[in-house]
Amino acid sequence: YLLRRALSKLPKKTITQAYDIPSLAVEYVGKHTVVSNLKIISERLRRDPRLIMRFFLKSTGKPGAVNEKGQLEIYDLIKKESLDELYKRFLNTYVRCSTCGSYDTELIRHGKIWYIKCLACGAETFVNPI
């Protein structure tokens, strides 16, 4: 009886998802692939758009740039599924806190050393440079 009563007093488990992380909006213009919401993504993730661009371009091995509208232009056709997979890898490596799983983090660089500082729990995790 006491065990059931204690379990009923515990708060209900909630599934923690990154519901406020925007997904990629991929468009195809001619032979170019355009991520049209890079500016929104970079503001939400607290990352420089050039850093996200560098990750995508190095991972795909394709040339590209951030245009005047704040969109990522990759000068080749790349499938949306491939970009989504790269985006998930970027989030897990350079955004998500490895201690508490929060996406409210900052990427800080001291010289050649990069680390993620979590704004939720205060943990610091070292990461490889991009």
Side-chain angles (χ1 to χ4, degrees):
Y1 165 76
L2 291 176
L3 183 59
R4 271 183 262 140
R5 181 174 170 226
L7 286 174
S8 69
K9 299 285 183 186
L10 290 174
K12 302 291 181 208
K13 270 190 164 179
T14 58
I15 299 172
T16 57
Q17 294 180 350
Y19 59 88
D20 57 345
I21 302 291
S23 59
L24 294 177
V26 179
E27 301 170 357
Y28 299 100
V29 179
K31 293 205 175 233
H32 294 180
T33 305
V34 178
V35 178
S36 59
N37 63 342
L38 180 69
K39 187 175 183 179
I40 296 167
I41 290 171
S42 66
E43 288 172 358
R44 169 55 189 101
L45 299 179
R46 295 182 184 94
R47 302 294 184 269
D48 185 18
R50 293 176 300 156
L51 186 81
I52 300 170
M53 175 198 70
R54 193 173 349 147
F55 178 81
F56 278 113
L57 296 181
K58 277 189 169 184
S59 298
T60 59
K62 306 291 182 189
V66 175
N67 63 19
E68 64 277 352
K69 296 178 187 175
Q71 301 171 334
L72 172 60
E73 253 185 84
I74 302 173
Y75 304 140
D76 202 358
L77 292 176
I78 299 173
K79 292 183 181 178
K80 181 176 178 2
E81 293 81 23
S82 300
L83 289 177
D84 285 337
E85 189 62 37
L86 289 174
Y87 184 51
K88 286 179 190 174
R89 190 168 10 141
F90 177 79
L91 289 174
N92 286 331
T93 308
Y94 295 103
V95 179
R96 188 172 178 265
C97 175
S98 61
T99 304
C100 70
S102 173
Y103 288 91
D104 291 323
T105 60
E106 293 179 334
L107 187 64
I108 300 172
R109 179 180 179 184
H110 287 292
K112 293 183 179 182
I113 300 172
W114 293 70
Y115 65 93
I116 296 172
K117 180 174 171 94
C118 182
L119 301 176
C121 69
E124 293 182 356
T125 308
F126 293 97
V127 294
N128 292 329
I130 298 177

